[in-house]
Amino acid sequence: MEKNLKKIPPCDENCPVKASLNLLSGKWTLMILFQINDKVMRYGELKRAVPGISEKMLIQELNMLVENKLVSKKAYPEIPPKVEYRLTKLGLKTLPIVDQLAQFGLENLV
């Protein structure tokens, strides 16, 4: 007996899953979004909150998140430099996805 399955289109250049993965598939991307969440965080706080990430990778990921409009960056003209990161409206839309992944991880920790 065949179930009523919705037709799933091929993952070509118009695929919504592929588009989402292009934004969210970096190794550290979801962890950074999860840490920033609804807070304002500085670079050093993020570095401590994501153990194992190198400075180069954190800078690269943050720049990519800013470029993709998921995170906003505010730099203050002072010495030492002060930079704050927060999720944009688009970035906040990723939180339910991140929360579902966190819940899945909690339920299926190996």
Side-chain angles (χ1 to χ4, degrees), residues 48-59:
R48 287 186 296 277
V50 185
I53 190 169
S54 68
E55 293 203 19
K56 177 185 175 193
M57 281 308 303
L58 181 55
I59 291 167

Side-chain angles (χ1 to χ4, degrees), residues 23-39:
L23 287 176
L24 303 174
S25 67
K27 177 179 178 179
W28 304 98
T29 302
L30 293 173
M31 287 182 269
I32 292 169
L33 293 172
F34 183 66
Q35 289 302 319
I36 296 174
N37 218 293
D38 59 357
K39 304 179 297 251

Side-chain angles (χ1 to χ4, degrees), residues 60-75:
Q60 190 175 312
E61 287 279 338
L62 286 168
N63 287 337
M64 185 268 307
L65 288 166
V66 169
E67 185 179 309
N68 288 331
K69 298 179 178 35
L70 294 168
V71 171
S72 67
K73 174 181 176 178
K74 184 174 183 182

